[in-house]
Amino acid sequence: MPPIEDAMKLVVVGAAGRMGRALIAAIAGNDRTTLHAAIEREGASELGQDAGTLAGIGALGVSVSDDPLTAFVGAEGVLDFTIPQATVAFAEITAQARIVHVIGTTGFAGDDLSALKAAARHATIIRSGNMSLGVNLLANLTARVARALDEDFDIEVLEMHHRHKVDAPSGTALLLGEAAASGRNIALSERSVRVRDGQTGPRGRGDIGFATLRGGSVVGEHSVIFAADGERIELTHKATDRGLFARGALAAALWGRGKKPGQYSMADVLGLTDE
């Protein structure tokens, strides 16, 4: 189905990656969006290829480029699942262009977040460790359960991803940890336990623990475990298709169209923000 006349013009950065290809396919399959440009790093072997062919859906007439400055001209939004350094650089350009920047990149440091905050003065930034509807519902439930249960219930976040993932804990695991900390009205940075090895001593009351598994082709599995004496509550989400993240990113971009500059989350997009 061809895009409608006022379809949102989107740029995919990191076009040759697994998520980049999924995003290109999702854009082509949605009549409210159209692929404006596809960007890869300088020297990438995919430069010059048709983005649709690269994504396995047939030619779209859009060649992969390494020139974001030119590509962002006339665009209305950018879909970005790359690396922190690249995302910060793209944010500077989206701020200049005053367009929507959907960020699924994870692994940011403090300076990166400060740069994104500065860019959000002019760009509409929608950032989430996970673009899935199900995961964001899980985060909402996690906060509610953490709020309802006291520290007799220990909280552990368990996640597993494919062997190629480079950051840990995953952005989604941290999203869930932040939700749990919010429910408990504590700072995750002060109460999280990321590593256990050797003689660690007993578990600290009220800590939020993280465990990371890597292997195979797992798209993403996350569980939040509330464990007390004699009982355990587990909230779990399993992703089997990377396309669900791409569809969520499109929903975020369309939601952000026309919104004033600022930083938003998928909770905003889905109307899950607590009053």
Side-chain angles (χ1 to χ4, degrees):
M1 180 183 297
I4 59 178
E5 187 173 341
D6 64 343
M8 189 175 185
K9 299 174 183 177
L10 296 174
V11 177
V12 173
V13 296
R18 289 184 295 274
M19 269 307 304
R21 298 179 194 218
L23 289 165
I24 291 167
I27 291 170
N30 189 318
D31 63 359
R32 298 178 62 196
T33 58
T34 187
L35 183 65
H36 182 72
I39 300 297
E40 255 303 331
R41 68 190 184 283
E42 183 178 356
S45 60
E46 297 83 4
L47 293 176
Q49 293 187 33
D50 185 277
T53 302
L54 183 64
I57 59 172
L60 294 175
V62 176
S63 297
V64 178
S65 165
D66 62 359
D67 182 8
L69 284 173
T70 300
F72 286 18
V73 174
E76 296 175 90
V78 175
L79 306 182
D80 180 356
F81 289 70
T82 56
I83 60 175
Q85 183 180 5
T87 293
V88 168
F90 291 133
E92 294 179 2
I93 306 174
T94 58
Q96 294 170 14
R98 298 176 183 268
I99 57 178
V100 177
H101 190 175
V102 177
I103 299 174
T105 305
T106 59
F108 292 107
D111 289 346
D112 300 326
L113 296 176
S114 296
L116 295 181
K117 182 178 180 180
R121 290 198 291 266
H122 302 292
T124 302
I125 293 180
I126 304 164
R127 184 173 70 87
S128 178
N130 194 299
M131 295 288 169
S132 156
L133 168 62
V135 161
N136 283 278
L137 287 171
L138 175 60
N140 186 268
L141 289 171
T142 295
R144 291 175 182 272
V145 174
R147 189 176 303 122
L149 301 177
D150 64 21
E151 292 186 348
D152 286 341
F153 282 82
D154 301 319
I155 302 176
E156 293 285 316
V157 181
L158 172 65
E159 57 107 339
M160 182 170 185
H161 283 84
H162 53 86
R163 63 170 68 94
H164 302 291
K165 188 165 179 63
V166 298
D167 59 315
S170 69
T172 302
L174 294 174
L175 173 75
L176 296 171
E178 289 286 1
S182 174
R184 287 273 170 91
N185 196 28
I186 59 176
L188 182 64
S189 60
E190 298 175 1
R191 302 300 294 276
S192 67
V193 177
R194 308 289 184 86
V195 177
R196 296 186 178 108
D197 185 30
Q199 297 296 321
T200 61
R203 189 187 196 283
R205 180 177 171 84
D207 285 346
I208 297 175
F210 291 83
T212 298
L213 305 177
R214 294 286 179 267
S217 59
V218 177
V219 173
E221 298 183 2
H222 297 85
S223 293
V224 183
I225 303 167
F226 297 85
D229 292 342
E231 60 180 327
R232 185 169 73 243
I233 300 166
E234 297 185 10
L235 305 176
T236 298
H237 178 271
K238 296 183 179 181
T240 58
D241 175 13
R242 194 167 276 103
L244 70 93
F245 306 124
R247 293 189 292 274
L250 290 196
L254 289 165
W255 178 87
R257 193 183 197 184
K259 292 289 189 303
K260 65 181 182 180
Q263 292 198 78
Y264 302 92
S265 70
M266 281 300 287
D268 295 308
V269 175
L270 299 170
L272 296 176
T273 306
D274 289 335
E275 299 294 338

